[in-house]
Amino acid sequence: MINRKLLIEKAFEAQKFCYTPYSNFNVGAALLTADGTVYQGCNIENAAFTPTNCAERTAFFKAVSEGQKDFVAIAIVGNKAGVKQGEGDYCAPCAVCRQVMAEFCDLDNFKIIIAKDTDDYLEHTLGELLPLAFTGKNLDK
Ligand code: THU
């Protein structure tokens, strides 16, 4: 059972730790594992730009680096600095993050919750957001 409200709250909590001096666009993510653990992530920017890590990948890499590989859902919030909770736009995961999700998550079952607020969100499966995904299956893995 996914507690969507709690997962979105955790994403907002993670958003507070973002490091975004270049874009001032603040993203938070909360990744739920099958054992009920929640891994939080924020975006972490860099003066050289390309080393920037999105919030979603921060959450995934934290989880995988601690031995987790079974994922249920991720909640994502993102907006320009200064926008109040509930007043921003939906922040959909970038294509690179979708590809990272596809490495570890089932396309039909993994849920992506894109939230403006705890009671205002879109929900899609990974497969809906990454149709015709190229995955390890293409490489017989
Ligand atoms: N960003 C994320 O953290 N996740 C996304 O899915 C979209 C983009 C970050 C990267 C960069 O720090 C800032 O938002 C602007 O692109």
Side-chain angles (χ1 to χ4, degrees):
M1 235 297 271
I2 305 170
N3 185 335
R4 289 164 175 79
K5 188 173 181 309
L6 185 78
L7 206 58
I8 294 166
E9 277 169 5
K10 290 275 181 194
F12 277 117
E13 194 179 280
Q15 186 185 30
K16 295 189 191 125
F17 297 114
C18 66
Y19 176 73
T20 56
Y22 305 104
S23 73
N24 292 308
F25 191 81
N26 302 340
V27 186
L31 175 62
L32 176 66
T33 65
D35 71 7
T37 310
V38 175
Y39 288 84
Q40 292 169 290
C42 60
N43 52 336
I44 305 167
E45 298 188 342
N46 189 281
F49 287 16
T50 52
T52 291
N53 208 51
C54 289
E56 299 90 323
R57 274 178 289 146
T58 302
F60 265 90
F61 295 156
K62 282 172 68 179
V64 174
S65 70
E66 293 187 17
Q68 298 279 3
K69 289 210 177 45
D70 198 355
F71 301 109
V72 175
I74 190 168
I76 305 162
V77 300
N79 46 255
K80 276 276 191 196
V83 175
K84 289 199 192 102
Q85 188 169 325
E87 291 179 3
D89 285 327
Y90 299 113
C91 175
C94 82
V96 173
C97 288
R98 295 179 201 200
Q99 185 65 32
V100 168
M101 292 175 197
E103 187 65 28
F104 298 104
C105 304
D106 185 87
L107 295 171
D108 295 326
N109 292 315
F110 185 69
K111 303 277 194 312
I112 300 174
I113 298 159
I114 301 167
K116 282 188 192 179
D117 210 340
T118 52
D119 58 359
D120 181 356
Y121 57 86
L122 310 173
E123 184 168 314
H124 291 279
T125 65
L126 177 57
E128 285 167 344
L129 298 191
L130 193 65
L132 285 174
F134 181 82
T135 70
K137 283 189 186 156
N138 294 95
L139 303 175
D140 298 326
K141 290 287 169 198

